[in-house]
Amino acid sequence: MSRIITIARRTIVQNLRDTGNALGQMLIFPILLIFILGNALAPMYDVGNVDPTVVGYLNEDSGPMGRLADEFMNMPEVKDLLDVRPVDSVTQGNNLLQDMDITALIHIPGDYSTKVIAGQEAEIAITVLPGRTFRGALVETVMESFICGSNATQAMLAMGNPQPEYRPAHGTIEDQPFSVSGLMPDAMDYYAVTMLVMIVMYGTMYGAYGMAANNLYPVGRRVKASPVRPGEQYIGTTIGNVATIFVSSLVIIAFSHFAYGVNWGDNLFLILLITFLHVILAVGLGSMAIAVMRDEKRASVLINLLVIAWTFLAGGYFKITLPSAFSWIQYFSPSFLVQTALFNTIYGGPFSQTLLMLAAMIGIILLSGIIGIAAERRSGQ
């Protein structure tokens, strides 16, 4: 253990001495990029007039409340907010959700009127596409205005009115300016996350150069001749590189928050955990690349190409939306996994999806570590 700590300490010192990478590439460069992109592309992320949210609508209730629901969905005020597209079944609606053709599915069950008139609990099912927190909240808010009428009907029944009437009041929805702060990122918030993810991913170079120094340079060969085992050298170097990049990440997060006002959400612990796992993932991939390829130049070229491709697929340079048939490709990008987990944590996305992203990241870390250590032992034999 003491030898691992010694190797880790030596690695950190070596990284800090390389001020061009440690200070320039890992700190100044991303901070400037966040500022430049956040200001230059701000109009693209400015929410002025929100386009109508596309929703599927299935009304299986032929009773009076079902007819009133149809009238409500056809109100001009509602049409300004919701682009309602009728569907024939729940299965069709779910398929449209999976294909991302609609943002939400509104389903009124066949017994809705019966339950409302009987004074029983009646529910309208709203299924929202994962990751569409703001759009989902908008759909729920609009439907709550209709449900309030249902609740009023139940209350009148309870008070003894045998034939309560409920009519949607026209002109009750009024446009008012609103703030989306905390609901979705502006340009500065968006690029703070994507540039952090990109620059940490370039930390694969630390892993590659560290392993190259251990295996391909004269100093590393002399260390191999010492009692230090290959596994200890691999782990110690990895720990030193992880510590260097993680501290740089903390500085970027803190600086962007206090200097640029970037929103990092309320769950700072989970943000730091995701970032820490991301750092381990990046260093592990770089170490694995050099351990397997045994050629620093080739590994460097491959890593640079992969980081660019991964960042593009994740929407790091600009937001992209792939056709539904090809959206699965994004999950091959570690950057996409990290960005999804971070944005979900900051803006209240589905926690189950965040856990899935974390599980995938841990899987990549374990796989790269096993392959890297196996290749390192084979080279030391």
Side-chain angles (χ1 to χ4, degrees), residues 133-152:
T133 307
F134 171 70
R135 294 284 183 174
L138 188 147
V139 174
E140 292 173 3
T141 301
V142 171
M143 294 308 298
E144 278 178 5
S145 65
F146 176 77
I147 293 172
C148 284
S150 298
N151 294 338

Side-chain angles (χ1 to χ4, degrees), residues 9-77:
R9 188 185 301 116
R10 177 179 62 86
T11 302
I12 293 173
V13 171
Q14 288 178 337
N15 290 338
L16 293 178
R17 286 176 178 173
D18 186 3
T19 56
N21 281 327
L23 182 62
Q25 180 177 326
M26 300 303 295
L27 286 177
I28 297 177
F29 180 64
I31 287 173
L32 286 177
L33 270 181
I34 293 170
F35 178 80
I36 294 171
L37 294 174
N39 284 283
L41 302 179
M44 295 176 59
Y45 295 82
D46 180 34
V47 179
N49 295 321
V50 180
D51 293 332
T53 300
V54 182
V55 298
Y57 178 61
L58 175 62
N59 186 357
E60 296 180 315
D61 181 16
S62 58
M65 295 306 298
R67 292 192 293 272
L68 289 174
D70 290 339
E71 291 181 21
F72 178 81
M73 301 303 286
N74 286 315
M75 289 174 58
E77 297 97 327

Side-chain angles (χ1 to χ4, degrees), residues 140-190:
E140 292 173 3
T141 301
V142 171
M143 294 308 298
E144 278 178 5
S145 65
F146 176 77
I147 293 172
C148 284
S150 298
N151 294 338
T153 302
Q154 289 179 320
M156 287 188 288
L157 285 167
M159 290 187 294
N161 188 340
Q163 293 181 326
E165 293 186 5
Y166 165 54
R167 293 291 177 186
H170 293 272
T172 57
I173 299 178
E174 181 180 355
D175 290 336
Q176 292 287 347
F178 66 95
S179 171
V180 296
S181 177
L183 295 176
M184 60 188 299
D186 60 19
M188 197 70 76
D189 295 329
Y190 183 80

Side-chain angles (χ1 to χ4, degrees), residues 197-336:
V197 172
M198 183 188 74
I199 213 65
V200 170
M201 193 57 72
Y202 273 114
T204 51
M205 293 298 186
Y206 276 93
Y209 293 155
M211 292 307 298
N214 290 341
N215 294 279
L216 307 179
Y217 297 165
V219 175
R221 295 194 185 99
R222 287 198 295 270
V223 173
K224 281 182 173 295
S226 69
V228 177
R229 292 190 291 270
E232 292 176 328
Q233 192 172 4
Y234 180 89
I235 295 173
T237 303
T238 299
I239 291 175
N241 288 325
V242 166
T244 302
I245 302 172
F246 185 63
V247 171
S248 299
S249 302
L250 295 181
V251 173
I252 294 172
I253 292 173
F255 186 91
S256 63
H257 175 70
F258 292 108
Y260 301 153
V262 169
N263 173 28
W264 289 99
D266 299 323
N267 196 342
L268 184 59
F269 173 77
L270 187 54
I271 291 293
L272 296 182
L273 175 62
I274 295 170
T275 303
F276 184 68
L277 289 176
H278 180 32
V279 172
I280 298 175
L281 184 151
V283 173
L285 288 176
S287 300
M288 180 191 70
I290 202 69
V292 171
M293 300 182 70
R294 314 297 299 172
D295 187 310
E296 183 180 352
K297 290 183 179 180
R298 285 168 48 195
S300 177
V301 171
L302 176 63
I303 289 171
N304 273 297
L305 292 175
L306 286 176
V307 171
I308 292 172
W310 289 336
T311 304
F312 172 78
L313 285 175
Y317 305 117
F318 50 85
K319 288 184 178 181
I320 64 170
T321 302
L322 296 178
S324 57
F326 299 98
S327 59
W328 55 270
I329 297 176
Q330 290 183 299
Y331 289 92
F332 285 94
S333 166
S335 299
F336 177 78

